[in-house]
Each structure stands twice: as structure tokens, then as C-alpha cells.
Amino acid sequence: MARQARPARGIAAQDTATLAELLARRRRAVEAGVRRAFWSLVQAGETLRILGEQERVWKEAEGVARARYAVGQGAQQDVLRAQVEITRFEQLRVEQDAAIAVAQAELARLVGREWGPRRPRVRRLELRPEPRDLAALAAEAEAGLPELRAVAAGIERERLAQELAQRDFKPDFTVQAAT
């Protein structure tokens, strides 16, 4: 009986390991979702800031075009084009406000509570090169995948189940001798 307990205990341990890896996968998925939503929120805020700067420039251009038109040195077309661009910024601002609302809702869903600030306070976004090469990044990602560890635990579980089945195998026939 003690010989059967070892593989059975191993099977239970592998089942536990598989579930632990699946839980780790869920945690990583939530973490990735939070990161995506947070940086979407940051991006939308940065886009709103840039839109504000561009809108100010177009308002100045409209003022210049209007002044030139008033004295007969400019075309009405220049004034109208500036006004169209300014109007377009309203639509872009609404789109970014919607993106902020979506990111806040996603954050609230993932963390289980409302997201506080409208926009997080972070330094300006900047692009930086990745110091590691692609092969190193791929190896690091592969080493951290809970799915692969869960599959390895499943394979080990099946090996132990096979070993247990082989130990418990009893033939279905009996041999009797009569004199």
C-alpha cells in the first residue's frame, strides 16, 4: 500500500502545481491588463495636452488670417480653414475624453474599485531603445510563462498516473490446478 501512495501523492502534487501555474497566469493577465489600461490613460492624457497646444496655434493662425482678411491682404479661405481645424479639435478632444473614460473603467474593473485621478501624474512620455536583444527577451518571456510550467506539471502528472496504473495492474484470469 505504501508503494501506491507515492505515485498518488505525486499526482496530487502535480495537480496542485498545475492549478498554481494557472493561477499565476491569471495574475499575469490581470497585471498586463492594468498596465495596458494605465498606459492608455497616460497616452490619452498626453494626447489631450498636445491637442491643446495645437489648438492654441490654430487659434493664433485664425487671428492672423482674420486680421489679414480684414485689411484685404488675405483670403477668406484661410480664415475658414483655421476655423475648420479648430472645430476638428473639439471632436478629437471628445475622442480622447472617451478613451480616458474607457481606460478608467477598465482599471476599475481589473482592480475592483474606482480609479481616482482623471489622469495619472507621470513625466512626459519618451521613447527609449530596448537594451536587450530579441533572443534574450524571448528567452526571458519563455522562462516566465506559467502555461509552459503548467504543461510540464501535467506531463509529470500523467507519467505518475501511468506508473500508478502499471503498479495496480492485475490480470483478469486465474490459474487453478487440480489433481
Side-chain angles (χ1 to χ4, degrees):
M1 193 57 110
R3 291 178 61 198
Q4 289 180 356
R6 177 178 282 157
R9 198 174 303 142
I11 290 171
Q14 293 307 316
D15 286 344
T16 303
T18 300
L19 292 175
E21 295 304 335
L22 292 176
L23 178 62
R25 176 65 198 133
R26 294 280 184 215
R27 283 184 178 141
R28 287 184 68 166
V30 169
E31 179 185 348
V34 167
R35 288 176 188 267
R36 272 192 302 275
F38 175 82
W39 289 111
S40 293
L41 190 60
V42 170
Q43 180 185 15
E46 190 74 6
T47 302
L48 274 177
R49 185 189 63 76
I50 291 169
L51 286 174
E53 289 175 7
Q54 290 177 342
E55 186 177 19
R56 281 189 293 279
V57 169
W58 275 105
K59 283 183 178 180
E60 288 176 17
E62 178 197 18
V64 169
R66 189 181 298 270
R68 288 179 52 122
Y69 178 67
V71 295
Q73 291 182 347
Q76 184 180 18
Q77 174 183 341
D78 296 335
V79 176
L80 294 176
R81 179 163 184 245
Q83 289 173 343
V84 166
E85 288 296 325
I86 292 169
T87 304
R88 192 172 64 91
F89 283 111
E90 291 176 28
Q91 175 189 356
L92 295 172
R93 194 174 17 266
V94 167
E95 289 174 5
Q96 293 309 309
D97 284 338
I100 287 172
V102 167
Q104 287 175 328
E106 182 67 6
L107 278 169
R109 182 186 72 81
L110 289 167
V111 300
R113 58 183 165 85
E114 289 299 314
W115 174 257
R118 175 175 163 83
R119 287 188 284 175
R121 305 256 189 258
V122 295
R123 288 186 281 150
R124 294 184 71 173
L125 296 177
E126 61 183 57
L127 291 176
R128 291 177 284 174
E130 175 59 45
R132 299 169 290 182
D133 65 337
L134 185 58
L137 287 172
E140 181 182 329
E142 191 173 308
L145 283 177
E147 293 91 347
L148 292 178
R149 292 191 303 266
V151 168
I155 290 170
E156 179 61 17
R157 181 207 186 281
E158 294 304 318
R159 187 191 67 72
L160 290 169
Q162 180 183 13
E163 181 183 323
L164 182 61
Q166 287 173 348
R167 286 183 181 176
D168 285 346
F169 179 71
K170 295 186 174 109
D172 289 342
F173 63 90
T174 59
V175 177
Q176 293 181 351
T179 55

